[in-house]
């Protein structure tokens, strides 16, 4: 059996070696950055009223997805990482609305 880290849930997770801990290599992070860039480009074409109201909130929520993934990857415990991933998921849902 491979060594792993056991979280509070009791599930074993494989040990992540230092070289693989770079969040920028995660597909989910790359996709979140593509989403944020796309939203920035769309909102930039809106009139100023739309940009300053719903556009500003949409851009913030889209940017928050990648930011929370990045911050969570630097946390030391499974519980902290999960919290940031859940926050990223919430921001993604907000951006989809």
């Amino acid at each position: 059996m491979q060594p792993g880290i056991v979280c509070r849930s009791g599930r074993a997770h494989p040990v992540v070696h230092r070289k693989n801990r770079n969040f920028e290599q995660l597909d989910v992070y790359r996709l979140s950055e593509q989403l944020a860039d796309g939203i920035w480009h769309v909102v930039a074409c809106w009139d100023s009223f739309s940009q300053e109201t719903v556009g500003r909130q949409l851009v913030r929520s889209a940017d928050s997805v990648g930011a929370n993934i990045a911050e969570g990857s630097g946390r030391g415990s499974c519980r902290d990482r999960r919290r940031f991933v859940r926050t990223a998921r919430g921001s993604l849902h907000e951006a989809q609305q």
Side-chain angles (χ1 to χ4, degrees):
M1 188 166 140
Q2 277 189 312
I5 298 170
V6 178
C7 292
R8 283 179 101 163
S9 65
R11 292 187 217 136
H13 299 279
V15 173
V16 179
H17 298 286
R18 236 348 176 194
K19 65 181 182 178
N20 294 332
R21 293 188 67 168
N22 185 354
F23 65 89
E24 293 172 327
Q25 295 174 352
L26 298 173
D27 289 338
V28 68
Y29 176 78
R30 291 179 183 170
L31 289 170
S32 73
E33 289 301 299
Q34 289 175 8
L35 172 69
D37 290 346
I39 288 176
W40 270 95
H41 289 296
V42 169
V43 171
C45 298
W46 292 357
D47 63 81
S48 62
F49 177 77
S50 297
Q51 285 180 356
E52 293 171 10
T53 54
V54 70
R56 186 175 289 171
Q57 180 61 30
L58 185 58
V59 166
R60 273 198 309 264
S61 64
D63 284 344
S64 178
V65 176
N68 278 292
I69 291 168
E71 188 167 352
S73 71
R75 297 299 172 141
S77 71
C78 290
R79 184 178 186 183
D80 279 342
R81 284 191 293 275
R82 266 196 318 264
R83 182 169 49 95
F84 280 95
V85 168
R86 286 185 184 127
T87 302
R89 184 177 56 195
S91 296
L92 177 61
H93 287 293
E94 184 178 348
Q96 290 176 333
Q97 301 299 320

